[in-house]
Amino acid sequence: MDENHELAQWLFSVLTDFTNAERVLFLRFISGRSRLPANLADFSQRFQVMRVDRPLNGLPTAQTCFFQLRLPPYSTKEIMAERLRYAINNCTCIDMDNYMLARNGGVEVEEEEDDIFVIS
């Protein structure tokens, strides 16, 4: 899908209408991080938007490893916005912030069973 595709146009319009807090949630949804990398070397992937063959007006999905948003077809921009808001507010289990802080800041990361503790 290129930037002229209707879904892409709707997406960029929806993102423009998002609050800054919603943009942070969106970034976390598609990348696992709540902020952009500090330097270009850590920005190894280009943001990709992909149209997927799913039922009309379904929920979007993301592949954080590939910085990829996967959008099903939507009947209106408003439904797309509603589904995106639902997804970004309810799918928050991936957290790359602590990993990147440890990697870039020299912070020691200690793992115990399923929990990760960051020790500075």
Side-chain angles (χ1 to χ4, degrees):
M1 165 176 15
D2 67 22
E3 72 255 11
N4 296 316
H5 190 281
E6 184 176 52
L7 282 179
Q9 295 294 314
W10 286 354
L11 174 65
F12 292 117
S13 176
V14 167
L15 291 175
T16 299
D17 293 341
F18 272 8
T19 64
N20 285 339
E22 289 173 321
R23 289 180 189 143
V24 168
L25 290 173
F26 177 79
L27 183 62
R28 188 169 184 169
F29 179 71
I30 61 169
S31 71
R33 297 174 63 175
S34 59
R35 59 193 141 184
L36 295 172
N39 59 58
L40 289 176
D42 288 333
F43 221 148
S44 60
Q45 300 285 339
R46 292 183 62 189
F47 176 53
Q48 299 174 33
V49 180
M50 201 174 181
R51 187 175 60 89
V52 293
D53 188 21
R54 298 270 171 95
L56 182 67
N57 298 324
L59 289 171
T61 57
Q63 292 189 329
T64 57
C65 293
F66 301 109
F67 201 30
Q68 184 179 85
L69 177 66
R70 306 181 92 195
L71 296 172
Y74 292 103
S75 55
T76 68
K77 181 176 77 166
E78 292 73 25
I79 292 174
M80 173 193 273
E82 175 195 331
R83 298 300 193 269
L84 276 170
R85 281 189 171 100
Y86 181 87
I88 66 175
N89 281 289
N90 291 286
C91 301
T92 57
C93 61
I94 294 181
D95 183 1
M96 288 296 294
D97 288 332
N98 285 329
Y99 169 77
M100 292 308 290
L101 284 172
R103 181 172 166 242
N104 292 336
V107 178
E108 180 182 341
V109 175
E110 181 180 306
E111 292 186 36
E112 288 185 13
E113 296 189 21
D114 293 332
D115 297 323
I116 296 177
F117 299 94
V118 176
I119 303 167
S120 52

